[in-house]
Amino acid sequence: MKVVKFGGSSLASGEQLKKVFHIVSEDPQRKIVVVSAPGKRNPEDSKVTDLLIACAKRQLAGSSAESLLEEVVERYALIADELGLEEDVIEEIRNNFLSLLHAGQEEPKRYIDALKAGGEDNNAKLVAAYFESRGIEAEYADPKEAGLIVTDESGFTRVLPESYQRLYALREKTGIVVFPGFFGYTENGEVLTFSRSGSDITGSILANGTKADLYENFTDVDAVYAVNPQVVPQPKAIRELTYREMRELSYAGFSVFHDEALIPAFRAGIPVQIKNTNNPDAQGTRIVNKRDNTNGPVIGIASDTGFCSIYISKYLMNRELGFGRRLLHILEDNGVSYEHIPSGIDDVTLILRQCQMDEMAELEITRRITEELQADEVIVEHDLALIMVVGEGMRHNVGTTARASRALAEAKINIEMINQGSSEVSMMFAVKGEAEEKAVQALYHEFF
Ligand code: ASP
């Protein structure tokens, strides 16, 4: 049995839905279908989720978003029309969106989540109706009834482990189950969404819960590539990679598959197959537990911008009991989480996502580090890019770091920081944001 997830671009128009129908109906093992909200039809188009967020914000600001909401309903209506579905499908969708729009706004974050979730929820109903109209038995599954229970964290909720057992019952359904991605319910019955692009996570949770043999993730590219094709034209396609490799690559900017979506499938040992809705015969990329290391040391290179670093030095830091704890406490008090902490004898660097720390928070954090921790030096650097060189083979190959740093040196790129110790499958370089592309290109040419 397979769980199959379709992303927004695979569901953006009636024409796309026909492809989805063909893919699902040609393989009887494709039993559970997870859907995103309709995505972009072309590069200038808007995603339904973005329109819904705009609607929610407009209402919260005290204006009416009814006309913008009508644009959303129109997106569904166009799809339904192309597929020849009955009028009442759209009436139901319109009424559902209107009731979400006019729901209580006492808790703004929850209000936004509920409206966002409506994008996938209504799409699942539409897809189920379409499948039925084509003569296959298909049923919309309500995540609340199915038992997808999540933590109480608006906008970036996480699955609670008890969900898995409850979701197993979906296997018993006779027809195809169409399940909305991106959200679950708290124990108190409130709708909360995962982080953006979170339908991948739903698919992975369902694959785990129903003990599927395979989780197929349909998107709009033929494969996961060794590097972003916008940075290096026609890069090498990756046929097989491990969960750990994919996790590192997704973390650092590969957007094909959500980095949080790997864990549920990994825990249940279910392989993930990335495929293209627009070219389903293409082999795609398989994510597995173990692979043969035939690729050389490196499988892919990813990069992401928007990081900053706080460098702290203090003589005899290594001897000072509780320095790290007090430092992290200061971050915690300011609601800031860190990404990496490379350290030396008398110094430590915190790497953070810049968007978490506005000017005020930065001043407060540096002031407290200087005063409370009596640091000798505190230096904040902005606009850093992190580059991840990833590959299971690195462990067994001598000289990979040397090759990477030489490639960067030859391209005249200054390395702000290297972090290799902790992860066995990646090497991380921080460089100035403006050097990101050049650095990625240099590394790609070195290893591929
Ligand atoms: N529609 C949601 C988003 O745009 C979730 C998803 O597509 O996976 O983030």
Side-chain angles (χ1 to χ4, degrees):
M1 193 273 282
K2 297 175 185 171
V3 170
V4 203
K5 181 255 165 181
F6 291 92
S9 61
S10 304
L11 300 159
S13 66
E15 193 190 329
Q16 289 299 81
L17 256 88
K18 287 179 191 167
K19 295 180 192 166
V20 167
F21 175 76
H22 181 75
I23 290 168
V24 173
S25 58
E26 75 172 1
D27 181 348
Q29 287 192 306
R30 293 182 173 137
K31 185 167 163 59
I32 297 179
V33 178
V34 178
V35 297
S36 285
K40 293 184 180 188
R41 292 160 290 189
N42 53 62
E44 286 74 45
D45 202 11
S46 306
K47 285 180 161 197
V48 160
T49 308
D50 290 320
L51 293 174
L52 289 169
I53 294 170
C55 285
K57 290 194 171 155
R58 202 174 280 186
Q59 287 286 127
L60 286 167
S63 320
S64 167
E66 283 213 15
S67 60
L68 187 55
L69 190 77
E70 197 45 45
E71 261 182 56
V72 172
V73 176
E74 193 54 30
R75 292 282 290 269
Y76 292 84
L78 278 174
I79 297 171
D81 197 45
E82 250 185 283
L83 300 174
L85 295 178
E86 303 283 341
E87 277 287 307
D88 55 349
V89 176
I90 291 305
E91 252 344 274
E92 215 186 291
I93 291 177
R94 176 178 286 111
N95 290 335
N96 178 269
F97 275 129
L98 279 171
S99 69
L100 291 169
L101 191 76
H102 296 301
Q105 302 177 353
E106 302 75 36
E107 296 197 58
K109 282 190 183 161
R110 289 172 197 270
Y111 172 76
I112 298 176
D113 270 24
L115 209 51
K116 272 197 284 184
E120 336 311 269
D121 201 41
N122 283 306
N123 212 23
K125 289 179 187 160
L126 187 146
V127 171
Y130 170 54
F131 281 14
E132 284 265 299
S133 79
R134 296 286 304 262
I136 8 184
E137 190 186 347
E139 181 184 342
Y140 154 80
D142 179 353
K144 192 176 194 173
E145 272 170 39
L148 179 39
I149 311 297
V150 294
T151 58
D152 196 347
E153 297 165 287
S154 305
F156 51 93
T157 186
R158 281 168 297 160
V159 66
L160 285 172
E162 50 268 38
S163 301
Y164 294 117
Q165 229 174 359
R166 299 185 198 175
L167 290 167
Y168 188 78
L170 291 174
R171 261 189 102 106
E172 313 305 327
K173 304 263 185 199
T174 51
I176 285 174
V177 176
V178 185
F179 200 101
F182 195 33
F183 69 95
Y185 284 82
T186 62
E187 305 268 21
N188 297 332
E190 282 168 312
V191 177
L192 292 185
T193 61
F194 297 116
S195 51
R196 290 300 305 268
S197 305
S199 302
D200 286 349
I201 306 175
T202 311
S204 186
I205 294 166
L206 291 190
N208 179 317
T210 60
K211 305 271 174 287
D213 299 297
L214 182 66
Y215 172 26
E216 287 179 312
N217 193 287
F218 278 84
T219 168
D220 51 13
V221 287
D222 277 351
V224 176
Y225 294 98
V227 70
N228 180 352
Q230 275 159 4
V231 177
V232 177
Q234 297 180 317
K236 191 175 167 207
I238 305 174
R239 292 287 159 234
E240 196 175 53
L241 76 172
T242 67
Y243 296 106
R244 299 201 301 169
E245 289 171 329
M246 189 69 216
R247 160 93 174 110
E248 304 265 341
L249 291 169
S250 317
Y251 165 81
F254 274 33
S255 56
V256 183
F257 194 62
H258 197 301
D259 64 332
E260 286 174 43
L262 285 156
I263 298 297
F266 166 69
R267 291 217 170 112
I270 299 162
V272 181
Q273 182 79 38
I274 310 280
K275 288 192 70 89
N276 189 353
T277 302
N278 304 318
N279 185 14
D281 294 332
Q283 197 184 338
T285 298
R286 205 174 174 85
I287 309 170
V288 293
N289 205 357
K290 250 195 158 127
R291 68 176 175 88
D292 295 330
N293 282 317
T294 50
N295 277 54
V298 175
I299 196 144
I301 298 160
S303 68
D304 202 5
T305 48
F307 294 91
C308 66
S309 67
I310 309 177
Y311 167 82
I312 302 139
S313 88
K314 182 177 184 188
Y315 183 53
L316 293 180
M317 186 188 284
N318 62 322
R319 301 270 298 275
E320 189 171 326
L321 213 58
F323 188 90
R325 179 182 48 76
R326 284 184 288 145
L327 175 61
L328 296 184
H329 222 141
I330 296 175
L331 287 195
E332 192 178 342
D333 288 346
N334 283 277
V336 170
S337 66
Y338 69 87
E339 302 291 317
H340 310 275
I341 322 188
S343 65
I345 310 168
D346 293 331
D347 25 42
V348 58
T349 305
L350 301 166
I351 309 263
L352 325 166
R353 291 209 187 253
Q354 203 159 287
C355 58
Q356 298 184 87
M357 193 169 66
D358 58 17
E359 232 172 290
M360 288 279 285
E362 182 178 321
L363 277 174
E364 171 66 5
I365 290 171
T366 46
R367 183 191 64 76
R368 285 188 60 187
I369 297 174
T370 313
E371 287 173 11
E372 292 173 26
L373 302 184
Q374 300 274 296
D376 298 329
E377 206 175 9
V378 183
I379 302 170
V380 180
E381 256 201 82
H382 299 108
D383 295 322
L384 294 178
L386 292 189
I387 300 179
M388 294 284 213
V389 179
V390 178
E392 298 270 359
M394 262 170 3
R395 259 175 300 160
H396 319 291
N397 278 275
V398 177
T400 315
T401 318
R403 283 176 67 186
S405 35
R406 194 178 50 236
L408 292 173
E410 276 167 10
K412 308 235 172 326
I413 293 159
N414 186 32
I415 302 169
E416 304 285 325
M417 193 202 62
I418 304 183
N419 193 5
Q420 210 216 333
S422 322
S423 166
E424 289 181 317
V425 296
S426 77
M427 206 173 2
M428 192 186 83
F429 296 93
V431 299
K432 287 256 186 286
E434 74 240 18
E436 181 195 11
E437 281 204 359
K438 215 165 123 196
V440 170
Q441 285 157 353
L443 290 166
Y444 183 79
H445 292 304
E446 172 62 34
F447 290 107
F448 295 89

